């Protein structure tokens, strides 16, 4: 799966990593629902760090369609709320 982190670029991520990422996504969703801004920032950073660590960066000139788009590390709680589906940032 190709994942884009807004403002950074794309990474190729194996589907086997989505269990770990979904756990962080569930945590992020709970923090958003409780308006826990500090926890939200910490978990968003952890989620993006996991994508970077587990994924393989694509070259800057690669223009692959992104199957998943994640917010930038400096995104606000409100900005991320606007990106959310019922499943959170990561479907499944």
């Amino acid at each position: 799966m190709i994942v884009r982190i807004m403002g950074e670029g794309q990474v190729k991520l194996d589907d086997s990593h989505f269990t770990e990422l979904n756990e962080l996504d569930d945590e992020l969703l709970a923090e958003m629902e409780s308006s826990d801004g500090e926890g939200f920032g910490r978990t968003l950073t952890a989620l993006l760090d996991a994508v970077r660590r587990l994924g393989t960066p694509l070259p800057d000139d690669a223009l692959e369609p992104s199957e998943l788009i994640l917010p930038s590390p400096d995104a606000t709680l409100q900005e991320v709320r606007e990106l959310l589906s019922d499943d959170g940032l990561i479907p499944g």
Side-chain angles (χ1 to χ4, degrees):
M1 174 179 279
I2 304 297
V3 179
R4 174 175 297 284
I5 298 175
M6 293 172 66
E8 288 187 24
Q10 294 177 303
V11 297
K12 184 174 177 112
L13 196 61
D14 190 271
D15 290 347
S16 65
H17 298 298
F18 279 90
T19 299
E20 177 181 346
L21 298 177
N22 271 318
E23 289 173 9
L24 289 166
D25 188 44
D26 290 345
E27 201 175 312
L28 189 69
L29 190 56
E31 290 160 348
M32 291 182 64
E33 288 172 353
S34 67
S35 296
D36 177 0
E38 187 175 316
F40 162 81
R42 194 172 41 250
T43 304
L44 178 59
T45 297
L47 175 64
L48 297 177
D49 286 348
V51 168
R52 292 181 196 109
R53 176 176 42 85
L54 299 169
T56 304
L58 295 180
D60 289 339
D61 60 350
L63 294 174
E64 300 291 327
S66 300
E67 297 166 86
L68 180 61
I69 299 174
L70 297 176
S72 66
D74 60 349
T76 67
L77 198 131
Q78 184 58 37
E79 290 169 336
V80 174
R81 274 193 178 118
E82 293 170 9
L83 294 173
L84 283 177
S85 69
D86 291 339
D87 287 337
L89 291 171
I90 300 173

